[in-house]
Amino acid sequence: MATLSPSSGLSNLGPLAQLKAGRLPERLFRLLVGLWLYGLAIALMVKGAIGASPWDVFHLGLSLHLPVSFGVVMIITAVVVLLGWIPLRQMPGLGTVANSLLLGPFADISLAMLGVPESLWLRIAYMLGGVVTCAFATALYVGAQLGPGPRDGLMTGLSRRTGWSIRKVRTIIEVTVLIAGVLLGGVAGVGTVIFALGVGPLTQFFLRYLVVRLDEPAPRAAVPEEA
């Protein structure tokens, strides 16, 4: 997750306004492609087995204790996180729902399609490819401006409620889920550190080119003064 500046071109719109902001077919396409690529990025890092993202270390650890697939664990986690939006008064958008329901199945499909790399160099390539793909995918679906993912919304909601910086809240959340994931049996590694350091700047870079510029509200006509 990246900390986004106002200059990123992202608008602060409600769920209905997001749908009415124009270029909807293009934005829906970008959302779906972005989520598919995000699922592929997760699978690349998991198959590389030298450290997944903090959230995926948690998902991996939890999947060891539940009779469901990795992707289903992602859906369950997303639903639980969305419940945390209620006291924060966060409003989900279409992209939030799509992220919650589709990202897990997309990750499961990619995990089934990818083979297990045998050499260390190929595992490193998987990991690095996963980090870059994740950043590109995040910029693509966030840039569609149809609502944040569950985990992103939790971060921004907590930041707004507590007055803490996005960086501080993000760090607290990701360290917490990483520790929980390791305690559950998930494995962190070099890839986890590289992801934590690299995905934010890369996402910010890709957002420069992938944010869909939305229609600005039409200015209100001036009311003529009475003579």
Side-chain angles (χ1 to χ4, degrees):
M1 292 175 292
T3 303
L4 304 175
S5 65
S7 62
S8 64
L10 294 172
S11 303
N12 185 22
L13 301 176
L16 291 179
Q18 291 167 5
L19 298 177
K20 296 178 180 179
R23 302 173 67 178
L24 186 58
E26 176 191 351
R27 291 161 61 212
L28 288 172
F29 178 75
R30 286 171 175 252
L31 170 68
L32 292 175
V33 173
L35 292 176
W36 167 256
L37 288 174
Y38 202 122
L40 174 61
I42 291 170
L44 283 168
M45 294 197 69
V46 170
K47 288 287 188 177
I50 51 177
S53 72
W55 275 103
D56 289 327
V57 171
F58 175 76
H59 297 143
L60 285 167
L62 197 56
S63 67
L64 297 174
H65 303 274
L66 296 176
V68 294
S69 70
F70 176 85
V72 173
V73 168
M74 291 184 66
I75 295 175
I76 294 171
T77 303
V79 171
V80 173
V81 170
L82 281 176
L83 293 177
W85 283 32
I86 297 174
L88 298 175
R89 297 181 181 178
Q90 288 278 99
M91 290 295 292
L94 179 61
T96 310
V97 177
N99 184 300
S100 302
L101 299 180
L102 296 180
L103 192 54
F106 285 162
D108 272 349
I109 292 170
S110 294
L111 284 168
M113 292 173 58
L114 289 174
V116 177
E118 297 181 359
S119 69
L120 176 60
W121 292 111
L122 189 54
R123 289 166 59 195
I124 292 173
Y126 267 44
M127 180 271 294
L128 294 176
V131 172
V132 175
T133 303
C134 179
F136 180 84
T138 300
L140 193 60
Y141 90 77
V142 170
Q145 308 217 55
L146 287 167
R151 298 155 188 83
D152 298 304
L154 177 66
M155 176 186 67
T156 56
L158 283 172
S159 175
R160 189 182 67 251
R161 282 290 179 176
T162 62
W164 296 344
S165 68
I166 288 288
R167 183 182 298 275
K168 181 177 181 179
V169 173
R170 173 190 171 186
T171 300
I172 292 172
I173 292 174
E174 295 204 353
V175 168
T176 301
V177 297
L178 178 59
I179 292 173
V182 171
L183 292 175
L184 287 167
V187 179
V190 175
T192 309
V193 177
I194 292 176
F195 180 92
L197 295 177
V199 75
L202 283 171
T203 301
Q204 192 77 53
F205 169 78
F206 287 127
L207 273 170
R208 299 175 189 173
Y209 309 100
L210 294 176
V211 172
V212 178
R213 305 294 171 175
L214 301 182
D215 297 334
E216 295 292 335
R220 297 179 60 184
V223 178
E225 297 181 359
E226 294 182 1

